[in-house]
Amino acid sequence: MFENNIVNPKIIRILEREKIVPMKKLESILFNINLPDRKAYQGSLLIAEPFLRECYFNHAVISLIEYNPSGTSMGLVLNKQTNYNLSDLISNVSRPDAIPVYCGGPMSCDRMYVVHRLGDIVPGSRLIANGLYVGGDFEMLIDYVNSDMPLEGYVRFCLGYSGWGAGQLDEELRKKVWAVASVSDTENLLAGSEDAYWHRQVKQMGRDYRGWLYHPQNPRMN
């Protein structure tokens, strides 16, 4: 799977010279060998492995809002901004500052989904992890936006979603396409974006995944 991917040779020389890891472990660290097997579950995070190049999922972090190993599963990419602001798509947004809209995935891109930490403030919202909710009364969410309440770290609007058929996600997990992580920092889960967001989540997964941080996002630019 990884034969054609490029690792920065400077990193390899540093690892060898500084004896950060023994040489026999170098290949394992850089190429995701012997990573822990973790089961997906509703509320977990899916962290894209560094070689995943699909435009929607390159360095993506997905909140898994539904998981059914014998049926369909559904998640929202949390860290990929679109070129839209919320006022471009929702006519009754009166707040003057730009509110970014994120790309939740390639499916149903004409529908908007909302992940938030507002809990009972939003009637009808569904708890998916400790302190993390999805959906709820959309008009109430827009009222919250227009009331000049804090948004970064509290609410994230997504266009589209990411979906898997029966058994598809489990097969991708067996192939190490995704790492599964728990939500360890709910307060910052809806803050930040893009590549820096992915790196933050990988660092929180610990030493097993440190090799992921050594790979450039686009090997052709290395």
Side-chain angles (χ1 to χ4, degrees), residues 184-196:
S184 59
D185 186 9
T186 308
E187 291 187 2
N188 289 313
L189 187 65
L190 303 182
S193 64
E194 304 302 332
D195 187 48

Side-chain angles (χ1 to χ4, degrees), residues 153-201:
Y154 290 89
V155 181
R156 189 144 287 190
F157 294 89
C158 302
L159 277 180
Y161 72 94
S162 305
W164 295 265
Q168 183 182 1
L169 178 55
D170 287 339
E171 178 63 19
E172 292 180 5
L173 291 174
R174 283 191 290 271
K175 293 179 178 179
K176 308 295 187 183
V177 174
W178 309 98
V180 179
S182 60
V183 178
S184 59
D185 186 9
T186 308
E187 291 187 2
N188 289 313
L189 187 65
L190 303 182
S193 64
E194 304 302 332
D195 187 48
Y197 186 105
W198 180 87
H199 273 82
R200 185 181 74 200
Q201 297 298 329

Side-chain angles (χ1 to χ4, degrees), residues 47-48 50 59-61 79 193-206 209-217:
I47 318 294
H59 278 200
V61 179
N79 62 319
S193 64
E194 304 302 332
D195 187 48
Y197 186 105
W198 180 87
H199 273 82
R200 185 181 74 200
Q201 297 298 329
V202 172
K203 288 177 181 177
Q204 291 177 359
M205 291 192 295
Y209 294 90
R210 61 183 174 173
W212 284 19
L213 301 172
Y214 300 141
H215 296 278
Q217 183 173 9

